[in-house]
Amino acid sequence: MYKLEIVGWEITLRCNLQCLHCGSSAGPSSTRACELDLEECKSVVRQLVALGTSRIVLSGGEPFLCDHWEPLAQFICDQGIYLQFVSNGTLIDDNLSRKLQNLPGKVAVGLSLDGAVPETHENLRNSPGLFQKVLRAIKLLRVHGIPVAVITTVHKDNLAELRGLYKLLLQSGVYVWQIQLAMPSGRMSDHPEMVLSGEESLSLARFIARVRDEGNLRVVAGDNLGYYNSLEIKLRESLWTGCPAGIRALGIRSNGDVTGCLSLQETAAEGNVREKSLAEIWLNPELFSYNRKFKVSDLEGECKDCKFGSLCRGGCSFLCKSLTGEYHNNPLCLRLYDRGSDSVIFVG
């Protein structure tokens, strides 16, 4: 039996930006036919409560463009579920911050910030003035007592700015900084040259390890960076035990499609909440087979002969599919580039 702990929920595909690296290809004209209405969303929440879900992450598109984000958030909080938003920050003003503050539960907001200087962040997201809007959103949310995380997607154009961004975030009051790799998926598939090489990914991992050692800000590596090299215990709170998609996490698209992870945009849905209950989907042992039915013999490429393959399962499914078109095949695994990989230290 798999316990569903966390759900990533794209409540709308609409977005007021058109970011270069958007895996969903969201934008001002982006829509999905027949997005779930409020009553359908409430039914989904009730089903998630019954399955024991403890955390819901509302995203998009831009979640605050969803017409019913506020009553939905209220309903989620009323059920005692920890609620998080992932936003570009453009719509967060004093009024919206107060609405979040008045929600009757535990709420946090993750804001995207991808550079230490305005030009880098704004060029990536095609939005002049966005850098200062994000900094203002951080300040407003903090004033209203809302915990703020910053999410940075790293590519060749901003890798050198991470130390500067770190210094900026130290002054901002954010509670965590998540750093993840840009992948050639969605709109970013038109710019594969921006994806980090293996050597650059190792450089990024060393940076994360250093700032985590400094202890001034909680910094975590995204799921698509690793694994089982000499830095593994310094990248995240616990050792990587394989992709959580369909194991303890799932994604819900705005039209009700259910997938193991929202990042797996090209992966066929395991079902739709309008056609089957979430319990029918989640408890069906035949679904999410790429993870639930994993065998060591499924490993491909450099992963095939890795002694940690049974634990890692090839790492992040999104990374594998983006780079190779198949699961369990990770050409950016840090063990391939780290000479100290055989000195992995296991800690209890």
Side-chain angles (χ1 to χ4, degrees):
M1 178 69 68
Y2 297 97
K3 179 175 174 53
L4 178 54
E5 299 174 4
I6 179 172
V7 171
W9 190 350
E10 170 205 85
I11 56 175
T12 183
L13 193 59
R14 286 190 296 158
C15 188
N16 52 353
L17 300 181
Q18 198 164 357
C19 302
L20 194 66
H21 65 316
C22 181
S24 302
S25 298
S29 60
S30 300
T31 57
R32 275 206 175 93
C34 302
E35 293 190 337
L36 300 179
D37 62 27
L38 177 59
E39 290 309 311
E40 289 174 310
C41 287
K42 286 183 176 180
S43 174
V44 168
V45 174
R46 294 187 190 98
Q47 294 175 64
L48 291 175
V49 170
L51 288 170
T53 305
S54 57
R55 178 158 55 120
I56 293 176
V57 182
L58 298 183
S59 66
E62 169 53 45
F64 295 120
L65 281 175
C66 177
D67 294 334
H68 52 262
W69 77 262
E70 189 176 0
L72 175 58
Q74 175 83 33
F75 190 76
I76 291 171
C77 289
D78 285 341
Q79 314 310 309
I81 295 177
Y82 177 28
L83 175 61
Q84 296 174 299
F85 291 88
V86 176
S87 170
N88 60 36
T90 56
L91 301 178
I92 296 176
D93 55 15
D94 187 69
N95 181 52
L96 193 148
S97 298
R98 289 183 186 278
K99 289 179 178 181
L100 293 173
Q101 182 183 30
N102 291 331
L103 289 172
K106 188 178 180 183
V107 178
V109 175
L111 297 175
S112 299
L113 191 58
D114 296 311
V117 297
E119 292 77 13
T120 303
H121 184 67
E122 293 166 8
N123 289 343
L124 184 71
R125 296 177 179 271
N126 298 300
S127 181
L130 180 60
F131 186 81
Q132 289 301 325
K133 288 180 182 178
V134 175
L135 295 184
R136 180 174 181 270
I138 293 173
K139 184 176 181 180
L140 280 171
L141 291 168
R142 296 297 300 123
V143 165
H144 290 90
I146 306 298
V148 181
V150 161
I151 304 165
T152 298
T153 301
V154 183
H155 49 86
K156 289 183 184 291
D157 291 349
N158 67 356
L159 178 62
E161 293 185 26
L162 292 180
R163 175 58 68 171
L165 182 53
Y166 172 61
K167 292 178 180 178
L168 179 66
L169 295 181
L170 284 178
Q171 305 167 16
S172 69
V174 302
Y175 79 96
V176 65
W177 184 21
Q178 178 176 308
I179 303 175
Q180 59 198 27
L181 296 174
M183 289 286 99
S185 177
R187 201 172 286 124
M188 191 68 168
S189 62
D190 294 331
H191 304 278
E193 73 282 355
M194 293 179 66
V195 176
L196 297 189
S197 66
E199 291 80 3
E200 289 167 329
S201 297
L202 179 59
S203 176
L204 172 61
R206 287 171 173 159
F207 168 79
I208 294 173
R210 284 196 300 271
V211 295
R212 281 175 61 87
D213 280 344
E214 291 173 14
N216 298 318
L217 174 65
R218 184 183 168 208
V219 181
V220 295
D223 285 353
N224 61 358
L225 182 68
Y227 312 84
Y228 288 91
N229 67 317
S230 63
L231 298 171
E232 177 66 20
I233 60 173
K234 295 186 176 184
L235 296 183
R236 44 183 63 91
E237 267 65 45
S238 59
L239 285 173
W240 175 260
T241 55
C243 176
I247 302 295
R248 56 184 177 85
L250 64 71
I252 303 175
R253 296 170 184 157
S254 58
N255 64 352
D257 281 347
V258 176
T259 184
C261 172
L262 281 178
S263 294
L264 295 170
Q265 291 290 331
E266 305 304 318
T267 301
E270 307 286 349
N272 187 286
V273 299
R274 287 182 170 132
E275 300 167 357
K276 296 181 180 179
S277 71
L278 276 172
E280 287 180 275
I281 297 171
W282 182 255
L283 299 177
N284 186 336
E286 300 304 312
L287 301 182
F288 310 100
S289 60
Y290 53 94
N291 270 344
R292 291 184 178 182
K293 294 189 174 184
F294 167 79
K295 307 180 297 298
V296 173
S297 59
D298 294 332
L299 294 168
E300 298 291 345
E302 296 288 349
C303 297
K304 184 178 283 289
D305 299 318
C306 179
K307 64 183 179 182
F308 295 105
S310 61
L311 297 172
C312 175
R313 305 201 307 270
C316 171
S317 296
F318 170 47
L319 180 149
C320 294
K321 287 288 282 185
S322 295
L323 293 178
T324 69
E326 56 190 4
Y327 298 109
H328 319 301
N329 183 355
N330 185 349
L332 287 185
C333 180
L334 297 183
R335 282 185 57 79
L336 302 176
Y337 304 93
D338 180 9
R339 294 179 181 177
S341 289
D342 288 331
S343 62
V344 173
I345 301 172
F346 291 89
V347 293

